[in-house]
Amino acid sequence: FDYVFERWFKAMDLLARGLWAIAMALMIILVLTIAGQVVSRYVFNWVPPWGGELGRTLAIWMSLLLLPPLVWTDRNLQVEFVIEKLSVRMRRRIRTLQLLLITAFGAVYTYYGWAYATTAGFRSVSTSLHRIFEPIFGSGFDLDMFYIYLILPLSGVLFVIMCISKLVQINYNPTQLEEDYSERYGAVEIEEED
């Protein structure tokens, strides 16, 4: 099983880096969109009608795509001032419980995200974003909000996969948790219980 786990963990590393790169690309587009809106408003006294909705969509997509890599790299929001003083075994138990709770949240989030994307998404059309795609796809093209809302279940599934993979990793590899903490805090002395 060592080979399978190592390959899986490397695949998760690649996926996390890929999601991070996509999120950073979305952030660059977001910054350019917002900067373009500011310039067009104050210099040309005109605001593109699609700028606000595109900015919101990019911000949401970027945020939701960053969730899985942050969990995988153990950089999600955590209260650690007490945990860093505990032994490795106790840290592993607490982190395992934390990941189980996060996984349950991710499963619920995925389910309701899919339900929202399918029910609300197919009943509404983005008229302002439609103006961006109209020159490409023609005047008969309508951008269903389903494609915008699809990020909800997609990020939820990736979130659950990363959580379960991290759960397996910290319990399979006894030094992984120590490595994760050492990356964040530098060399931290950890007492191992016998």
Side-chain angles (χ1 to χ4, degrees):
F1 283 112
D2 290 344
Y3 177 74
V4 173
F5 282 138
E6 291 305 316
R7 294 285 301 229
W8 181 257
F9 298 150
K10 286 182 182 180
M12 290 297 102
D13 286 337
L14 286 173
L15 179 59
R17 281 196 296 266
L19 290 172
W20 188 270
I22 291 169
M24 292 303 104
L26 291 175
M27 184 177 69
I28 291 169
I29 296 168
L30 173 65
V31 168
L32 293 174
T33 301
I34 301 302
Q37 280 190 286
V38 170
V39 168
S40 68
R41 174 177 295 185
Y42 292 109
V43 173
F44 302 111
N45 202 22
W46 172 80
V47 178
W50 45 265
E53 189 170 350
L54 180 61
R56 280 189 301 276
T57 301
L58 289 170
I60 291 168
W61 274 60
M62 180 190 67
S63 301
L64 294 178
L65 286 177
L66 281 176
L67 285 175
L70 289 175
V71 167
W72 177 249
T73 57
D74 203 29
R75 292 196 177 6
N76 56 307
L77 183 62
Q78 302 176 51
V79 179
E80 296 177 347
F81 65 92
V82 173
I83 293 177
E84 65 187 22
K85 307 235 185 276
L86 299 175
S87 67
V88 172
R89 181 179 295 164
M90 189 55 79
R91 281 187 192 187
R92 192 175 302 117
R93 288 178 183 163
I94 290 172
R95 184 72 172 133
T96 298
L97 179 62
Q98 179 190 37
L99 286 167
L100 287 172
L101 292 172
I102 292 173
T103 303
F105 167 77
V108 170
Y109 168 74
T110 302
Y111 174 79
Y112 284 107
W114 178 254
Y116 185 75
T118 55
T119 57
F122 286 124
R123 292 185 299 179
S124 60
V125 174
S126 173
T127 55
S128 61
L129 290 180
H130 167 75
R131 294 181 182 157
I132 296 174
F133 297 108
E134 186 175 23
I136 300 168
F137 296 110
S139 61
F141 175 75
D142 287 328
L143 179 65
D144 286 331
M145 290 302 289
F146 170 77
Y147 300 107
I148 304 296
Y149 298 152
L150 191 60
I151 191 63
L152 296 170
L154 177 64
S155 68
V157 166
L158 292 170
F159 190 62
V160 168
I161 290 170
M162 291 281 187
C163 284
I164 292 172
S165 297
K166 189 64 172 182
L167 185 65
V168 170
Q169 186 184 42
I170 66 169
N171 286 294
Y172 172 74
N173 182 359
T175 62
Q176 183 62 47
L177 199 61
E178 185 177 350
E179 291 171 16
D180 290 344
Y181 279 92
S182 294
E183 285 180 19
R184 277 204 309 265
Y185 301 116
V188 176
E189 293 294 324
I190 301 172
E191 294 179 18
E192 180 66 72
E193 290 180 359
D194 293 325

